[in-house]
Amino acid sequence: MSGRRSGAGAGRAAVLDRLRTSLGVGAEDADRRVAVQKRMYNHARHLIPARAHEPNPKVRLVEMLEGQSADVIDVDGEAAIAGAIAAYLRDNNLPARVRHGADPLFETIDWRGAPGVEREVGPAKPGTVASLSRAVGAAAETGTLFLASGPDNPTTLNFLPEVHIVLLFEDEIVGPYEDLWDRLRAHHGERALPRTVNLISGPSRTADIEQTLTLGAHGPKRLCVMLIAR
């Protein structure tokens, strides 16, 4: 059997060879390999804007989220979550139904506080109007929610329904992105992050057509962030 690479492997090798030639480096450059390893494992922190260091990151987070057309609601503890969800659906003339994943938080919620709300579990389906997710944290510097993919919070719930409700505990708000990535690595283990971490800062929008702002072009028309005190 020939030792030659074939198909996609050969094409990839050819591209890499051309890149190395243009850079004037070799495939076995030890110094470059060490530099890459350091880059991968040391997690150098990038330039962090001053607004990420404000003493109360919640204030900045709310300001940034509302500036990007998100609804932000304060919730006084876990006992008030169900009632807040029911009220939001009712006040916005939405069906009394939400679909969420298998996050353990959803089973600890006292749903008796929302007796008329129906719950469905699993990824979003055609016709799902409102979804419910839990954010693993938020970066105040840009008002960005971090949502990890997986059975607990399926990614489809972030993008397919018209309305996306996200639960976020106030003590999981940080200033800069780097702090939240550090927390995720500490929780999941080095090089063991979820397959996808979705960063969300507001409802989907575009102004591609005649510079007219349209919400819901590529995802939910409405984003509601419930900030839970504990």
Side-chain angles (χ1 to χ4, degrees):
M1 181 176 178
S2 172
R4 293 182 178 179
R5 296 180 181 179
S6 60
R12 179 175 181 274
V15 170
L16 293 176
D17 285 342
R18 286 197 297 271
L19 288 173
R20 294 189 189 101
T21 299
S22 65
L23 293 172
V25 299
E28 301 303 325
D29 189 323
D31 290 339
R32 287 174 59 82
R33 287 183 175 275
V34 170
V36 169
Q37 291 298 314
K38 288 182 177 179
R39 179 69 175 176
M40 291 175 63
Y41 289 99
N42 290 346
H43 310 303
R45 296 169 76 84
H46 299 284
L47 181 65
I48 298 175
R51 65 173 180 266
H53 296 296
E54 293 183 2
N56 188 346
K58 176 185 173 182
V59 174
R60 170 64 65 176
L61 178 75
V62 172
E63 176 185 335
M64 298 297 287
L65 283 170
E66 291 182 338
Q68 297 169 97
S69 304
D71 299 324
V72 182
I73 298 173
D74 284 314
V75 179
D76 188 17
E78 292 186 42
I81 293 176
I85 293 171
Y88 184 79
L89 295 174
R90 181 180 63 250
D91 294 346
N92 289 280
N93 296 316
L94 296 167
R97 183 182 304 108
V98 293
R99 190 171 184 85
H100 58 72
D103 195 298
L105 172 64
F106 303 138
E107 296 307 317
T108 64
I109 293 174
D110 185 359
W111 291 101
R112 292 175 298 180
V117 175
E118 298 178 21
R119 294 189 295 134
E120 301 171 339
V121 180
K125 292 183 176 181
T128 299
V129 175
S131 61
L132 177 65
S133 299
R134 177 184 179 179
V136 296
E141 67 170 288
T142 55
T144 301
L145 306 171
F146 280 51
L147 292 102
S149 64
D152 288 357
N153 291 278
T155 292
T156 53
L157 297 176
N158 303 340
F159 300 108
L160 296 183
E162 294 184 7
V163 179
H164 190 198
I165 302 171
V166 179
L167 305 182
L168 171 67
F169 285 98
E170 290 183 3
D171 59 7
E172 293 176 338
I173 301 171
V174 301
Y177 280 66
E178 281 79 357
D179 286 359
L180 200 40
W181 286 117
D182 287 345
R183 183 182 296 177
L184 283 169
R185 282 190 288 265
H187 177 74
H188 292 281
E190 188 67 41
R191 297 180 62 79
L193 291 175
R195 180 174 183 178
T196 304
V197 178
N198 294 292
L199 309 185
I200 299 175
S201 300
S204 171
R205 64 178 64 202
T206 183
D208 290 345
I209 301 175
E210 297 183 351
Q211 299 301 299
T212 300
L213 181 62
T214 301
L215 296 180
H218 312 294
K221 295 179 179 179
R222 177 170 291 176
L223 172 67
C224 173
V225 182
M226 295 190 173
L227 299 179
I228 308 162
R230 59 177 170 183

